Amino acid sequence: MNLLARLASMLLVLWGVVTMTFVVNYALPGDPARAIAGPQARPADLVQIRKAYGLDRSLAVQYALFAKRLVHLGPSHPDPRDEAHRSCSTFGALHLDLGTSYQKGKPVAKLLADRFPATLLLAVAATLVQVLLGVVTGTFAAVRKNTIFDHGTVALTLLGISAPTFLLGVFLQWVLAAELRLVPLDGYGATFGERLGHVILPALTLGLFGAAYYTRLVRDEVLTQRAQDYARTAFAKGATRARVIGVHVLRNALMPLVTVVGVDLGVLVGGAIVTEKLFRWPGLGALSVDAVADRDGPVIMGTVIVASSAVIVASLVVDMSYALLDPRARGAGK
Amino acid sequence: MKAFLAGVALALVGCGGRVADPIGASADARDVPAHRGGTLRTATFADVRSLDPHVSLDGASGPVLQLLYATLIKFARPGQGKDGGNFAPDLASDWRVADDGRRVTFTLRRGAKFHDGSDVLAGDVKRGLERALAAKTPNPGKSFYERIEGFDAYSSGKAESLAGVVVLGDHELAIDLTEPDATLLSVLTMPLVAPLCPSAGRAWDRDFGQHPCGAGPFSLNRWDAGRAVVLDRFDGWYEPGKPYVDRIEWSVLVPPFTQRLKFERGELDMLRDFSESDLSLFRRAPLWKDRGEWEAAKTVGGLFMNTEIAPFDNVELRRAVQSALDPDELAATRPSTVRPASRRVPSGIPGYDPRPGAVHDEAAALEHMRLAGYPFDPGTGRGGYPKEITFDSLGDSFYGQAAEVTQQELARVGIRIKLRLLGWPAYLAETSRRHLVSIGTDAWSADFPDPSDFYEPLLHSRAIAEEESQNRAFYSNKQFDELLDRARRATDFGERVALYRQAEDLVLRDAPSVMSYSIVWFELWQPYVRGYHVNALRQQDLATAWVDEVARGGAAKAPISAFLPGKPRPAAIALRAVPFGGPR
């Protein structure tokens, strides 16, 4: 029941975000017809472009059409020539229709589906980098508190948090790809094996930035937990430092990290705009930023729905994982 | 690990601002005839939006479309086309304009074929025009063809066919006009109305762009959206033996910095999207400075002044602005890609007038300020226009930078400018609204190669509207309008040029807008790319290029393992450190 209520509230949040995005997109200055036809388009051509894309209708009518189309029932196997269902993704008789991109002329659902695997791969790879680096360096910095290693780590993390990703990305691209030629300069690759090579640079760019933050978080948490009674008791009982830190302290210190990682993963699934652009990674981030620049309403709505859903689902998974990791959370749920 | 660190250190200390040497420079000395084979790899920072020519007018799609599709005629370098004109044959081998200028008859080339193997016939040309101009086709340039007889009825869906396009035989076709229109030939060079394979049908279909089929020198191999367009040579092209290269790989959305790195590594054969600093580096490098070509200038920029509202309803104030602008000062901010200009038509467009137009003269500007009623003393800073004037421009672009230079220049004659830097959508929406913006950035890039394109959309009174006015100066002058209308109807190009020059004189006198710079592009390619020349209007016409594979040698992409630390780099790749932070 609790879960059902949670799911219902998630849908409500999603609907709110979608509606707000629709209204904001409509209200923004600038004309999608001009974005389609180009800045030099003549008024007569703009009029017919607006008519062709239904942009000459009021906000209420456009929103009603969007909402009516978004989820509807239809034939399980629609005729590809049937304009009414051309842009639908079908799940049996249930149709999800995000419309057709003004700029690319393709169904938005297909554009998103094409790009989602790339985004997911990058999100997972970047998360792995930042979690592994963050946990290892954060723990060591805490264990070696007030040593050169600790001070150096803190200074480096400050640098990492301060450095914008585009600067870090260009630097890594220059050193690792252009000079040392260890990895490809950019792109996505044709096979999964190639993609693992191509994902290294963007994942490092995103991961190093995130790892800097995680390092500080883990370091502080480890220091806090190490000062707790249970850690002192473990030391008093003769447990080794490695065991106390690795088994007892770290397990508790990582609890806040789970929340952050979950939400970060959700955000990354929504797309890493700068990094994707820099490395020509064909993910949702690059798609969404292009859509905003082009006033491509259907794509903006589609990417917002995916990004919002990812964050909402990630939050739900984090909450559920708390219950698994922390017995007190299980008790609180009863 | 040591090798890795050494590499990092080398990279860090090697910021010498140098560029890699050309690859395959031995091609210069090789006397090899043009031959087929090889792959050309090029890139653009933008994305190809659609491969359906009838709905695509964006800059990145243009060069790809002109390889996929043939048009009736194509643009030649000014004066180097058929009969010394500006147009060369494409699918039409010949054309005649009737004495009254209302009918143009085309004779189609025999043997021209579509990519599906079918012959290109007059009926296909008519079908292409009808598909492109149909009511349901979201063609962004439909109005370019509005003088074709029957256009209104057909494009509004009231007529079944386009009456003004008459099939006279399999290889003969006539286009009838409601009135003489000298721009018809120019707009027919655009892929916007290109003939398509019979399978495309008469009605526009959203999916056609995914599997395009035309009569151009290359056909589509695949289009990886957001990544690359791959084209294969079309062996049935009408010119025997051409095109030469087997394949063209056109990467999209590649940032200029990455393009440069790929070009230096031999992963790209051509380079066009330079940062200002990179272009300067290549132009200074001894082994590069004599290579590459400048494209013809086809973009002008400057400012408009709203003639309907204060303070620029005062013609003397507008003249003061015109005299205060110094094109040389502006061009110095980007010496590689910005050229000073003083007239509306850029040098790459037929009808360009090389005589000085708007001349920078600060003393004259001060005199116009006095006549406007706002005398200004530069010595004391006293006088001038009493209020600060808001100037609308575009942020994060050269236009914004140019506006800052303008701000300083106008301050010297007593006009204080407050810059308002906007994004494109807001800029277009605001500046095109009547009675709203008094002064702002103005710029125009050729839609098609004709001088009319730089006057009619921007300054003819027909282009004035309450909203979305293209005439941002809201300039209205009957004499000027008449000159433009006469020039459009005139069939003799010399007569047209004379009329446009008279019109330009009126613009210089009334100063509703001032074009003070022209933006040019440079193209560079590796020595092993042969037979390539910059296209007259659009960039990267690759139909005549061929590749000297022997000279290219080992420049093709080497496996990553070859570059692992500790292993020597392949000798064919000349790699240098690049300046960190310089290129954008």
Side-chain angles (χ1 to χ4, degrees):
Chain A
M1 192 60 199
N2 208 4
L3 183 67
L4 281 178
R6 188 72 198 271
L7 285 171
S9 74
M10 281 167 50
L11 282 175
L12 202 64
V13 170
L14 190 60
W15 175 75
V17 170
V18 167
T19 304
M20 199 169 66
T21 309
F22 197 94
V23 173
V24 168
N25 183 46
Y26 184 89
L28 280 175
D31 181 0
R34 202 173 264 288
I36 295 165
Q40 297 188 178
R42 299 176 181 195
D45 295 320
L46 291 174
V47 168
Q48 62 98 22
I49 293 274
R50 254 180 234 123
K51 197 173 173 187
Y53 288 92
L55 296 164
D56 53 347
R57 298 174 177 180
S58 69
L59 170 65
V61 172
Q62 287 189 44
Y63 182 73
L65 287 172
F66 167 77
K68 184 182 163 192
R69 209 181 51 213
L70 186 60
V71 180
H72 63 268
L73 296 174
S76 302
H77 301 286
D79 185 338
R81 289 166 299 180
D82 182 357
E83 274 293 313
H85 299 290
R86 187 187 161 273
S87 52
C88 292
S89 292
T90 54
F91 306 92
L94 189 68
H95 288 210
L96 173 71
D97 187 0
L98 292 164
T100 301
S101 163
Y102 298 154
Q103 296 287 349
K104 301 177 192 299
K106 291 182 185 172
V108 174
K110 182 173 176 0
L111 284 173
L112 297 174
D114 286 349
R115 293 193 173 228
F116 190 75
T119 288
L120 192 63
L121 175 61
L122 178 56
V124 170
T127 304
L128 276 176
V129 170
Q130 58 197 34
V131 169
L132 286 175
L133 268 176
V135 170
V136 171
T137 52
T139 307
F140 272 97
V143 170
R144 298 176 186 279
K145 190 188 170 193
N146 290 332
T147 63
I148 289 181
F149 180 84
D150 181 30
H151 295 312
T153 303
V154 171
L156 272 176
T157 55
L158 193 63
L159 189 69
I161 292 170
S162 311
T165 46
F166 72 85
L167 194 65
L168 186 62
V170 170
F171 177 76
L172 291 173
Q173 188 182 44
W174 169 47
V175 174
L176 298 181
E179 284 299 311
L180 299 173
R181 301 191 174 217
L182 295 172
V183 287
L185 274 165
D186 66 356
Y188 185 52
T191 62
F192 186 72
E194 279 182 25
R195 279 165 199 162
L196 290 181
H198 282 270
V199 81
I200 292 173
L201 270 185
L204 268 182
T205 304
L206 285 171
L208 286 177
F209 182 75
Y213 176 60
Y214 285 12
T215 300
R216 291 173 85 93
L217 184 72
V218 171
R219 176 186 176 275
D220 291 349
E221 278 302 317
V222 168
L223 286 175
T224 305
Q225 294 298 329
R226 213 174 93 156
Q228 299 293 316
D229 289 346
Y230 73 85
R232 274 201 295 274
T233 306
F235 276 120
K237 286 170 75 175
T240 61
R241 188 167 69 170
R243 182 172 174 77
V244 174
I245 299 293
V247 176
H248 301 292
V249 169
L250 207 52
R251 186 172 177 188
N252 288 296
L254 292 185
M255 290 296 288
L257 191 68
V258 171
T259 311
V260 181
V261 170
V263 175
D264 278 358
L265 186 62
V267 171
L268 284 172
V269 168
I273 292 168
V274 175
T275 308
E276 286 185 7
K277 276 286 197 189
L278 182 63
F279 295 106
R280 257 183 359 119
W281 190 259
L284 295 173
L287 184 71
S288 59
V289 76
D290 287 343
V292 171
D294 290 338
R295 298 297 314 278
D296 195 340
V299 177
I300 293 173
M301 295 310 300
T303 50
V304 166
I305 288 173
V306 171
S308 311
S309 304
V311 173
I312 290 170
V313 169
S315 304
L316 183 71
V317 171
V318 165
D319 288 354
M320 287 166 66
S321 63
Y322 260 145
L324 292 174
L325 292 171
D326 188 347
R328 289 169 299 179
R330 277 199 292 272
K334 285 177 184 167
Chain B
M1 189 63 188
K2 276 182 183 173
F4 176 83
L5 292 174
V8 174
L10 262 176
L12 288 170
V13 300
C15 311
R18 291 180 297 167
V19 292
D21 293 344
I23 299 169
S26 63
D28 295 341
R30 283 165 51 79
D31 185 18
V32 186
H35 58 266
R36 285 186 155 184
T39 298
L40 263 180
R41 297 153 308 173
T42 186
T44 172
F45 69 92
D47 195 7
V48 170
R49 290 179 175 175
S50 173
L51 294 181
D52 183 337
H54 296 171
V55 296
S56 182
L57 197 55
D58 62 286
S61 305
V64 179
L65 294 177
Q66 73 183 9
L67 294 173
L68 285 171
Y69 302 96
T71 45
L72 276 175
I73 54 175
K74 57 188 177 186
F75 185 52
R77 286 179 184 280
Q80 293 179 20
K82 175 178 162 283
D83 304 328
N86 304 324
F87 304 98
D90 199 0
L91 288 175
S93 54
D94 194 20
W95 59 93
R96 303 179 302 282
V97 181
D99 290 342
D100 66 358
R102 289 190 52 206
R103 169 170 272 211
V104 185
T105 307
F106 297 90
T107 304
L108 297 193
R109 189 189 292 274
R110 286 172 194 272
K113 289 188 182 300
F114 286 113
H115 296 158
D116 64 4
S118 54
D119 291 331
V120 180
L121 303 175
D124 298 311
V125 177
K126 179 177 170 74
R127 184 172 46 77
L129 275 156
E130 289 185 337
R131 181 185 183 273
L133 304 179
K136 287 189 175 168
T137 310
N139 184 327
K142 218 179 266 185
S143 64
F144 295 152
Y145 308 90
E146 64 192 3
R147 285 177 181 79
I148 294 178
E149 189 80 53
F151 172 87
D152 288 340
Y154 182 71
S155 67
S156 60
K158 291 175 189 159
E160 284 291 305
S161 74
L162 188 54
V165 182
V166 185
V167 175
L168 303 172
D170 276 355
H171 294 91
E172 198 163 32
L173 173 99
I175 296 181
D176 292 332
L177 302 169
T178 53
E179 60 176 339
D181 182 3
T183 67
L184 179 73
L185 293 178
S186 291
V187 296
L188 287 176
T189 65
M190 303 171 81
L192 273 178
V193 290
L196 311 181
C197 296
S199 57
R202 281 189 74 227
W204 177 68
D205 159 23
R206 276 179 209 277
D207 292 331
F208 177 78
Q210 305 304 315
H211 43 83
C213 185
F218 289 86
S219 61
L220 184 72
N221 175 294
R222 68 174 193 277
W223 179 19
D224 298 329
R227 285 186 272 167
V229 178
V230 181
L231 307 177
D232 286 343
R233 184 182 61 224
F234 173 46
D235 286 328
W237 198 43
Y238 60 72
E239 258 195 83
K242 287 183 183 173
Y244 297 113
V245 293
D246 293 340
R247 179 166 287 186
I248 296 172
E249 290 177 3
W250 208 303
S251 300
V252 300
L253 294 171
V254 188
F257 177 63
T258 313
Q259 284 190 42
R260 174 192 157 172
L261 295 178
K262 284 174 178 264
F263 184 71
E264 291 184 301
R265 280 169 65 137
E267 291 176 20
L268 285 180
D269 305 318
M270 317 184 85
L271 190 58
R272 181 176 184 266
D273 298 330
F274 293 91
S275 68
E276 181 75 16
S277 57
D278 278 353
L279 180 53
S280 173
L281 278 177
F282 276 105
R283 299 293 295 148
R284 284 204 316 263
L287 294 175
W288 282 112
K289 64 184 170 68
D290 297 325
R291 297 184 183 276
E293 281 181 25
W294 290 100
E295 289 176 12
K298 54 218 175 205
T299 301
V300 285
L303 56 84
F304 70 83
M305 289 168 275
N306 192 327
T307 56
E308 289 187 331
I309 57 175
F312 293 110
D313 52 350
N314 182 333
V315 67
E316 288 298 341
L317 200 62
R318 298 201 300 268
R319 288 172 183 159
V321 170
Q322 180 169 267
S323 298
L325 296 184
D326 183 355
D328 292 323
E329 186 174 27
L330 184 65
T333 62
R334 285 203 185 184
S336 298
T337 50
V338 175
R339 304 276 181 272
S342 63
R343 288 177 181 270
R344 304 189 69 76
V345 179
S347 61
I349 300 297
Y352 164 70
D353 185 351
R355 296 173 304 157
V359 178
H360 169 61
D361 184 342
E362 216 163 279
L366 290 169
E367 175 59 12
H368 286 304
M369 286 297 288
R370 189 186 66 76
L371 293 171
Y374 308 112
F376 178 69
D377 181 357
T380 62
R382 285 189 186 150
Y385 187 73
K387 293 181 185 166
E388 198 172 54
I389 305 168
T390 300
F391 186 111
D392 275 13
S393 189
L394 291 144
D396 298 330
S397 71
F398 172 69
Y399 299 116
Q401 196 180 334
E404 287 177 18
V405 175
T406 300
Q407 183 183 36
Q408 292 166 26
E409 290 171 340
L410 296 188
R412 286 182 214 136
V413 297
I415 300 173
R416 289 177 299 131
I417 290 292
K418 178 185 166 192
L419 294 181
R420 195 163 72 119
L421 300 178
L422 306 166
W424 262 109
Y427 163 83
L428 290 172
E430 302 247 320
T431 56
S432 62
R433 194 170 300 165
R434 203 161 193 172
H435 306 305
L436 187 66
V437 177
S438 55
I439 186 170
T441 289
D442 207 358
W444 195 256
S445 192
D447 288 313
F448 50 85
D450 191 90
S452 69
D453 193 38
F454 288 84
Y455 291 98
E456 284 190 44
L458 299 171
L459 291 175
H460 197 293
S461 60
R462 269 198 306 266
I464 292 178
E466 296 298 317
E467 304 268 342
E468 291 167 357
S469 176
Q470 283 195 303
N471 184 341
R472 293 185 169 81
F474 297 91
Y475 175 61
S476 180
N477 179 326
K478 274 187 185 171
Q479 192 188 355
F480 178 79
D481 289 351
E482 279 172 20
L483 284 168
L484 295 192
D485 293 342
R486 277 173 58 199
R488 192 180 181 105
R489 287 194 297 266
T491 50
D492 179 71
F493 189 69
E495 183 190 346
R496 295 186 67 219
V497 169
L499 289 166
Y500 284 122
R501 287 186 178 181
Q502 287 180 48
E504 178 84 36
D505 289 343
L506 291 179
V507 175
L508 291 170
R509 186 196 72 188
D510 295 344
S513 83
V514 189
M515 294 301 187
S516 56
Y517 59 90
S518 182
I519 298 173
V520 287
W521 294 74
F522 187 74
E523 293 185 34
L524 192 62
W525 52 95
Q526 296 285 5
Y528 55 77
V529 177
R530 311 284 297 272
Y532 176 71
H533 292 287
V534 169
N535 179 268
L537 183 66
R538 302 199 185 278
Q539 72 272 20
Q540 297 190 313
D541 181 359
L542 302 171
T544 58
W546 55 280
V547 175
D548 184 346
E549 288 287 359
V550 174
R552 168 141 71 177
K557 188 178 178 181
I560 290 174
S561 58
F563 301 103
L564 288 174
K567 292 193 177 184
R569 287 174 179 164
I573 299 178
L575 191 79
R576 297 282 186 277
V578 294
F580 179 59
R584 287 181 292 277

